[in-house]
Structures are given as C-alpha cells and as structure tokens.
Amino acid sequence: MEKELSDDRDMAKEACVCGFSPASSSRREEDGSSVSARRLGELLGDAALASRLVASGRASPRALTALAALAEQSVRMGIDYSSLGIGWDHPNSRMAYRTGSHRSTMAPASRNRAEASRRSLAALVAAVGECSADAEDGVTEAFIREIGLRPEEPAAKAASFEGVAAALEAELLLPLRALNEGEIRQTMKGVPLPTAELRQVVRTVTGAVLSRPGGFSDWRYGNPLGQEQLRGLTTEQLRAWREPMAMEHPRGVRTHEDAPGELGFFWATKIGGPSHGFDYESQCILPLLANARHKVILLSDPGWPHHPAGRAHWRLLWSLGQAEPEPRLWLETVNCDFDAHGLATEVWALAALRHALTKAVTMRVPLSMAAPLAEDLRRVAESQGFEGEVRPVQECMLLRPSNAVVEASDYLSPEHDWIQRAEEVTGKIPRCLFIPRSK
C-alpha cells in the first residue's frame, strides 16, 4: 500500500494543471485527442469504449479533453461532500487532491460516488459514440450534476459548455462541489451564519463561473457591490487593479494575480495557511471569490512546477482620516504550499513586494504593509528606482459591504471571519506606507 501511495504521488506531481496523468515521451508525440482518449479509457476502465468514441468523430478535441478532465476530477479525485460534509478532515494541499489517496477521497462514500460517476460517464461516452447524445451538452449536464446542482436552478441554466470546459481546465469540480453541497453554519468562533444567504452567494458565484470563460471575473467587478467597493478609483486605476498583472523575478520566480478569468482563486487558499479552504471554514474563501476588492498574488517557482507554490492576500481598501477616503493597496503575508518542501523561499517575500510596489506605482495608490517591513519596503523601492516616501502610520480602514455576506481577515479584525453586510470601520492598525511620488 505504501508503494502504491508513493506511485500515486509521483504521478500526480507530474500531472499538468488540469490534473491529467503525465504523458510519456511517446505520448507527447501523439496529438491531444489521442492522449485525452487514452486517459479517459484508463479512468473509465474501458479503453475500447474511448477508442470507439474517437473513431465515431462525434467528440471534438475540446470535448474529449473535457471528458477526460471530468473523469479525472469526479472518479480519481472524487470526494463525496454530500455525505462527508465540510470540515478540517479534508486535504490541505492541492497535490493531496490530485494523488487521490487522502482519507477523504478513499472514504467508502467517496469511492461509491466515484464509481457511480464512472458508470454515468461511461454511459455518456457510449451514447455520444452511438450518435444518441451530444458530447458538449453531455459534459455540461454531467458537470452540473457532479457539483450538486439541480438542472432547474439558475446557476445550472446559466451554464455553457465553454464555461464548464474552463472550469474543468482549472480543476474546479471539487471546489464547486464542496461549496454547493456543504452547509456553512457558523464562523470559526462559532457565531451562527445566515445559511440561506451564503448558499445564494455560492450559487451566484457558480453561475458566473459556468456561464462562459471570463464570466466569473466580469461578475466580480461588474456587480453593484463590487463597483461600490472600488468607487473612488479613476478609470485607469480600475483597469490597473482588475488586470491580472504578472512579473518575472530572480531564480525564475514569477508573481501573478492568477490569470485572465481568475479561476485560480478557488485553489489559492489551499496554498499554505492555516487555509481558508473551499471544504473547511468554507465561508472564509467567499470574500476572495465574491469581492472586487480582494485578490491574491500567487508565486510560481521552477522548483515546484505543478501549480503556484506561494500566495499572499492582496486587497484594495480605503483609509479614513482625510477629507475623503483614500485608496490603499493592502498586502498580507506570503504563505508556502505545505507540500512544496525545500524551495528557496527567501526570495518570495521580496518578489511579492516588488510586484506590489510596481502595481502601487502604476496605480498611483499607496501600498500598505505590516509595520515591521518598513525597511524592506524602503530598500526594495530604492532598488527598483521607485520615487516616493515610506511612512509609518496607524490607519482606520473603511470596509464597504461584502458581496459575500461575510468578511475574513486576521489583519482587519480579531474575529477572523464575521458577517459584514454594512459599512464598517476598523480600529487603528499600525502599518507602513509607500506613497508614490505624484507625477
């Protein structure tokens, strides 16, 4: 058994971002459709069935890729949240989901559900090959079912194949299943939460994701509460904040605010922690998903090629104390993935700081950091040639209403997570600012 688990981990570590098993050197010479079909046959336990599907010509390369990803995520990686619920017993890293060997994945309820998913997908593949079902429609309907939505729900009706395919490419079956099937009842400190309201937030997020590629990102910044959170920024500042900026750094490290579409946000808080994971303390990830003021800076390292290895929460907040609220770019600490051992992480904090400073200068918005980092802030600003002032401050921050019903932060409140339907003002928080010089 120990050897099998080791083999599973090795295979998952070589997997691409979609979660597929690695292609050997001979497979890399095959076209993408053949690789997807082969993997689909492996997961369904019926290579001939997958071959017949390819021979029928009834499934486009995009549909074949989506079918293989759907099988990977529902069969091999599948966890039955409807039975197990959400809680701290689930994996705490992305690789632990990909290996398919965690106790949540191996639980009888999860394996039973995975087998039901396998049979259902096999029936779909057979029907498509026999010309009695459409591949793209079948993938869309299967994904909706796998994440616990009913076909008549608005989020399900909003789904398109392209939106579902993008979600599968981002490995979102388990995050969306956990959020839709889990019951969020209380804060980390045990304060009751409005379950029905949070369920509606989850359904709205899900519908935005499944509607089309880019639909989630457009919804985040385009809904009324999102626009209110960013009210006061200029058009240029809004454009710069929304842009998923990326930078290259020494030793091959790359910082990036995920990528266009921002679907990587669903996995961001499984990078180190304690994490606000989608399947434990699930309410804590909702502010990142639903609020236009909230992003993450991800760090990708060549020593960990499987997915981003670091992340830092990244917010656009408003400072009080002036005639009008002033914007602040608010950077929090860098966390490292629990499985990414042995990396030269000493360069990560400076990389995140360079990224944050560059965006602050671009937006002409002060950057707010933890007070002890003032000297690092000054040194990096000088090394980058950024003109401005580093100043210690104690500021009260204005929190406009959360589009997630709740807010979560160890830096903004001692509550960790709390209901935040109305404007709130924090106490004075000691920070240091880099204030870009006005042009």
Side-chain angles (χ1 to χ4, degrees):
M1 174 63 74
E2 194 170 305
K3 173 67 164 58
E4 291 173 1
L5 296 184
S6 176
D7 290 345
D8 279 344
R9 179 167 290 275
D10 290 343
M11 181 167 63
K13 282 187 175 181
E14 295 174 10
C16 73
V17 72
C18 303
F20 297 165
S21 290
S24 65
S25 58
S26 61
R27 285 191 188 183
R28 284 192 289 268
E29 297 172 0
E30 300 173 344
D31 61 62
S33 295
S34 297
V35 173
S36 295
R38 180 175 297 186
R39 184 57 179 155
L40 179 61
E42 292 171 355
L43 290 161
L44 297 182
D46 193 336
L49 179 63
S51 295
R52 289 196 297 273
L53 174 63
V54 174
S56 75
R58 293 277 298 169
S60 66
R62 182 79 163 148
L64 275 172
T65 298
L67 279 165
L70 183 57
E72 189 81 42
Q73 294 168 45
S74 64
V75 178
R76 186 168 186 271
M77 297 166 58
I79 295 173
D80 183 19
Y81 294 108
S82 65
S83 296
L84 302 182
I86 54 178
W88 289 90
D89 292 331
H90 296 306
N92 65 3
S93 72
R94 192 167 183 172
M95 290 305 299
Y97 293 88
R98 286 184 178 174
T99 61
S101 57
H102 188 273
R103 60 181 176 273
S104 294
T105 317
M106 300 305 295
S110 296
R111 290 303 86 205
N112 289 340
R113 182 169 183 176
E115 174 57 20
S117 297
R118 187 196 66 77
R119 291 196 301 268
S120 178
L121 281 174
L124 171 61
V125 169
V128 172
E130 294 166 0
C131 303
S132 60
D134 178 80
E136 295 186 358
D137 289 347
V139 167
T140 303
E141 292 165 6
F143 188 88
I144 288 168
R145 181 174 61 253
E146 289 289 350
I147 64 172
L149 287 182
R150 298 186 303 276
E152 68 272 14
E153 293 188 73
K157 290 182 177 180
S160 70
F161 170 73
E162 290 300 328
V164 167
L168 284 165
E169 186 176 358
E171 287 184 304
L172 294 195
L173 189 147
L174 287 181
L176 289 175
R177 178 187 282 181
L179 290 169
N180 280 282
E181 293 186 352
E183 194 80 0
I184 303 173
R185 296 191 177 93
Q186 61 184 27
T187 68
M188 191 180 74
K189 294 188 175 182
V191 177
L193 288 171
T195 300
E197 289 182 61
L198 292 173
R199 185 181 300 116
Q200 184 56 49
V201 171
V202 168
R203 294 296 198 270
T204 302
V205 166
T206 303
V209 169
L210 301 186
S211 64
R212 57 182 172 81
F216 172 62
S217 181
D218 287 344
W219 169 79
R220 275 170 40 82
Y221 300 103
N223 69 76
L225 284 180
Q227 292 177 335
E228 171 63 14
Q229 289 172 2
L230 303 181
R231 177 175 53 83
L233 296 180
T234 67
T235 300
E236 292 76 15
Q237 288 172 328
L238 281 167
R239 186 181 300 114
W241 171 246
R242 179 169 174 169
E243 179 192 358
M245 193 181 96
M247 289 184 66
E248 303 294 330
H249 304 273
R251 301 188 188 178
V253 171
R254 179 172 177 265
T255 53
H256 49 109
E257 296 166 24
D258 192 39
E262 300 182 324
L263 297 183
F265 287 3
F266 284 84
W267 283 100
T269 57
K270 285 291 182 178
I271 301 173
S275 297
H276 302 158
F278 49 78
D279 53 11
Y280 53 85
E281 299 298 335
S282 304
Q283 73 280 2
C284 295
I285 197 176
L286 293 182
L288 169 60
L289 300 179
N291 285 330
R293 67 184 174 211
H294 197 167
K295 304 176 78 173
V296 285
I297 296 176
L298 300 175
L299 292 100
S300 293
D301 191 299
W304 184 257
H306 320 295
H307 55 73
R311 56 93 178 168
H313 284 289
W314 181 223
R315 307 174 196 257
L316 190 294
L317 300 178
W318 297 88
S319 169
L320 296 180
Q322 303 79 29
E324 295 291 336
E326 292 185 355
R328 297 286 186 264
L329 288 173
W330 178 282
L331 182 63
E332 298 181 7
T333 191
V334 174
N335 287 269
C336 178
D337 190 280
F338 291 124
D339 283 343
H341 306 299
L343 299 181
T345 57
E346 65 272 9
V347 304
W348 287 9
L350 291 179
L353 186 47
R354 289 189 192 100
H355 182 113
L357 275 166
T358 301
K359 190 134 189 171
V361 170
T362 299
M363 292 181 64
R364 315 307 298 176
V365 169
L367 171 63
S368 178
M369 303 277 298
L373 298 177
E375 190 53 41
D376 289 337
L377 188 56
R378 183 178 292 106
R379 186 172 64 254
V380 173
E382 290 176 355
S383 71
Q384 298 298 113
F386 294 144
E387 296 184 350
E389 176 189 359
V390 175
R391 178 192 304 172
V393 295
Q394 291 198 43
E395 295 192 302
C396 297
M397 309 308 295
L398 171 66
L399 301 180
R400 290 168 177 166
S402 172
N403 195 36
V405 179
V406 296
E407 184 52 271
S409 173
D410 287 324
Y411 295 83
L412 296 170
S413 169
E415 297 302 315
H416 181 76
D417 55 291
W418 67 98
I419 297 171
Q420 208 251 308
R421 296 190 186 97
E423 277 194 357
E424 294 182 10
V425 177
T426 71
K428 288 187 176 182
I429 303 174
R431 303 282 285 181
C432 61
L433 296 183
F434 173 79
I435 305 171
R437 181 166 297 172
S438 300
K439 291 183 178 179

